[in-house]
Amino acid sequence: MVYDRLSSGLSADHVVVHDPRWVASDARSADLAARGQADFLVAHPEQGLLLLYVHEGGLRHEPHGDRWTAMDADGQQRHIADPLTVGDAGLDALLSALRRHIGAEPSLPMVGWAVVMPDVQAPTSGVSSGLPRELIVDRGDLRDSTRRFDALAAW
């Protein structure tokens, strides 16, 4: 569903890759921190790269104890890893893999990450102070993906 919305809603210049994975260091390394994964990677020749992490039922942040929950397909709340940490780690691993592959700092206009909540409308204030509305793609945004991705690239 998300792939279909992204690929049909973005321009022909966007490339959407589902479930990309990469290794940032020696492939023989047992260091899992050197490996990265996202639900989607969106690439554009002028805008850069964007990693997307999908949470279909939306997210909730409990500031006391700094706990995050997501609703699963059965409507049950489950604890998840901090999406800020996951997004930052994925981005760091991707940049490291790109550096290793090209032998230099990648010169891309934008390399970032965002959270996709395809089944809900995101709160206007975001989910928490660390996850502002600007880093969320919700069901309304998926109807006009090009406009939303233009805004993410500019943010």
Side-chain angles (χ1 to χ4, degrees):
M1 174 181 83
V2 173
Y3 178 83
D4 293 336
R5 289 182 185 176
L6 289 172
S7 57
S8 66
L10 293 170
S11 74
D13 292 333
H14 290 88
V15 175
V16 179
V17 179
H18 178 251
D19 198 26
R21 297 168 188 265
W22 53 91
V23 178
S25 64
D26 188 330
R28 294 167 291 181
S29 171
D31 180 8
L32 294 179
R35 302 173 193 278
Q37 182 273 336
D39 294 312
F40 294 95
L41 181 139
V42 178
H44 187 277
E46 294 172 6
Q47 293 177 325
L49 301 174
L50 185 66
L51 300 177
L52 299 176
Y53 297 91
V54 178
H55 294 281
E56 293 184 5
L59 296 173
R60 197 171 120 227
H61 180 240
E62 301 167 14
H64 304 293
D66 196 27
R67 294 171 51 148
W68 288 84
T69 56
M71 188 172 297
D72 65 21
D74 296 325
Q76 300 296 314
Q77 292 283 333
R78 61 182 170 78
H79 291 283
I80 62 167
D82 177 351
L84 309 172
T85 302
V86 171
D88 287 345
L91 188 59
D92 288 346
L94 177 61
L95 288 171
S96 180
L98 289 171
R99 281 185 211 102
R100 181 172 175 261
H101 181 72
I102 62 178
E105 191 68 32
S107 60
L108 296 166
M110 186 261 315
V111 180
W113 63 267
V115 169
V116 179
M117 300 189 304
D119 299 328
V120 299
Q121 186 70 36
T124 57
S125 61
V127 178
S128 76
S129 60
L131 187 57
R133 176 64 178 95
E134 290 84 2
L135 290 178
I136 300 171
V137 178
D138 68 9
R139 70 175 172 218
D141 296 328
L142 286 172
R143 291 185 197 115
D144 189 1
S145 299
T146 298
R147 182 180 57 79
R148 185 70 187 111
F149 279 81
D150 288 348
L152 282 163
W155 194 73

